[in-house]
Amino acid sequence: MDDCIIIGGGPAGLTAAIYLARYHLSIRLFDSGDSRAAMIPRTHNHAGYPGGVEGPELLRLMHEQAKSFGVSRENRVVTAIEPDGENFVVRTANHDFAARTVLLATGVINLRPKTLDDALHDDALLRGLLRYCPVCDGYEVTDKRVGVIGTSDHGMKEALFLRAYTADVTLIAPDSEHDLDAACLAKLDDAGIVRVDGPCGEYRIEEERFVVETATGPLSFDSVYPALGSTIRSDLAIAAGAETAEDGSLKVDSHMRTSVPGLFAAGDVVLGLDQISNAMGQAGVAATTIRNLLNERTPIRR
Ligand SMILES: Cc1cc2nc3c(=O)[nH]c(=O)nc-3n(C[C@H](O)[C@H](O)[C@H](O)COP(=O)(O)OP(=O)(O)OC[C@H]3O[C@@H](n4cnc5c(N)ncnc54)[C@H](O)[C@@H]3O)c2cc1C
């Protein structure tokens, strides 16, 4: 029986692994290998890296650090977490594992524009022509021509957030006409944000700009932000009985405890700011609470 099984090897899971290993606990880290951090061409807002750091390099360094304390990421997809008394059974395709506690750090998946093929998507992302996180990289589009693919309240909020970086923001409806009520329209008008109806059909890169076909013809941008929402990977915890917020993210207390005793969560899967720094901070809190809980049950002694 392990002291803790961490599910997810992104910034949250890897931070927790480093903390828990340094508390002299026996842990395992299961990861299916698609951290959002691996998609970051270069982050410039993560403190401690003047000049920025590439997402995959940050993950590599964190993994190396975890390894130095004896934890290695295991490439496994967890299919179920089942409470078993005060412990848990963690199920994967080929094997079941027992653990005293579980930390869920499974993150979210951004929804992509429907007709954008993967190769073009990845190329545009690498070149900064496609972006997903105004909090992360709005600074990089200062005074640039920006498109936001989205509508309704969510699309409006993203467009307004970006308006603080550039006056040239166009909100493009993904599917057909915009779905914006009078209050949304008034806010967009006040900010001078142009609206264009969809559907967004074809995408291409032309002279270092991202071109989007819309109902009114092609539009080209320095960067385009899809604001189409995300899938929150909280289903394992929900099936184990954990409570969620309205959007499906996990509800936790200030110690990162879910509503299921012994089941913790950290990072994007939890309601809050989807950022590396937040994921790391939450993981540190979760790991320390896990340590204290286990120490109460059986004092950790060398
Ligand atoms: C393009 C882009 C740019 C970004 N730029 C920045 C930036 O500049 N600064 C910043 O702070 N943030 C940035 N972010 C956000 C940042 O990547 C996330 O906030 C961060 O990765 C969250 O960490 P996490 O550990 O919670 O989740 P993730 O990094 O997404 O990791 C979750 C892990 O869980 C694993 N997993 C999921 N389900 C299972 C399962 N059932 N079994 C096993 N493993 C599972 C996945 O494979 C994945 O590896 C950016 C995001 C994107 C997409």
Side-chain angles (χ1 to χ4, degrees):
M1 163 110 46
D2 285 299
D3 289 321
C4 184
I5 288 181
I6 302 167
I7 307 170
L14 284 165
T15 300
I18 293 164
Y19 274 64
L20 289 167
R22 289 174 52 79
Y23 288 140
H24 291 304
L25 295 170
S26 72
I27 61 169
R28 306 185 81 116
L29 173 67
F30 296 155
D31 184 42
S32 54
D34 61 347
S35 163
R36 280 215 307 150
M39 293 168 64
I40 307 175
R42 181 171 287 271
T43 167
H44 292 278
N45 74 347
H46 188 55
Y49 293 90
V53 58
E54 292 172 7
E57 174 62 2
L58 182 65
L59 290 172
R60 191 192 65 75
L61 288 169
M62 292 182 73
H63 191 218
E64 190 179 311
Q65 192 174 353
K67 252 179 152 171
S68 74
F69 301 112
V71 190
S72 268
R73 171 187 167 275
E74 293 176 55
N75 192 0
R76 289 183 193 273
V77 179
V78 174
T79 52
I81 308 166
E82 289 167 14
D84 179 20
E86 65 174 9
N87 304 314
F88 292 89
V89 176
V90 174
R91 299 196 191 281
T92 67
N94 306 318
H95 201 83
D96 296 343
F97 299 84
R100 294 190 171 84
T101 59
V102 171
L103 172 61
L104 198 79
T106 41
V108 305
I109 300 171
N110 293 113
L111 298 181
R112 299 177 173 195
K114 277 183 211 150
T115 54
L116 177 55
D117 78 66
D118 288 348
L120 180 58
H121 175 277
D122 295 353
D123 189 20
L125 196 72
L126 211 61
R127 298 192 203 187
L129 298 173
L130 195 66
R131 298 174 182 272
Y132 279 93
C133 177
V135 172
C136 311
D137 53 23
Y139 185 89
E140 272 64 46
V141 301
T142 299
D143 295 334
K144 299 272 175 70
R145 181 163 160 71
V146 168
V148 176
I149 300 175
T151 191
S152 67
D153 207 45
H154 182 62
M156 174 202 70
K157 282 185 181 151
E158 191 121 329
L160 286 176
F161 192 91
L162 284 158
R163 180 63 184 81
Y165 296 97
T166 174
D168 195 344
V169 180
T170 303
L171 181 62
I172 311 162
D175 296 320
S176 52
E177 287 177 6
H178 268 295
D179 170 23
L180 297 161
D181 63 21
C184 282
L185 289 170
K187 284 183 192 162
L188 292 166
D189 281 344
D190 181 54
I193 293 171
V194 177
R195 268 115 38 205
V196 174
D197 285 332
C200 300
E202 288 167 31
Y203 304 91
R204 60 184 180 277
I205 295 173
E206 237 173 57
E207 293 169 4
E208 278 315 298
R209 285 165 80 91
F210 198 67
V211 181
V212 182
E213 287 290 343
T214 70
T216 50
L219 294 173
S220 81
F221 299 97
D222 295 308
S223 285
V224 167
Y225 285 81
L228 302 168
S230 50
T231 303
I232 297 161
R233 296 201 267 198
S234 53
D235 38 341
L236 293 172
I238 293 171
E243 283 174 21
T244 61
E246 232 171 69
D247 68 350
S249 58
L250 290 174
K251 274 193 189 168
V252 290
D253 67 8
S254 58
H255 293 275
M256 311 315 293
R257 293 182 278 229
T258 70
S259 56
V260 176
L263 176 61
F264 296 75
D268 288 358
V269 74
V270 167
L271 184 65
L273 190 67
D274 289 353
Q275 289 285 282
I276 298 167
S277 56
N278 201 35
M280 290 179 168
Q282 290 181 338
V285 172
T288 307
T289 312
I290 289 168
R291 183 254 169 229
N292 291 342
L293 171 73
L294 293 173
N295 187 59
E296 255 172 46
R297 287 190 196 159
T298 316
I300 302 164
R301 303 261 157 83
R302 295 298 284 170

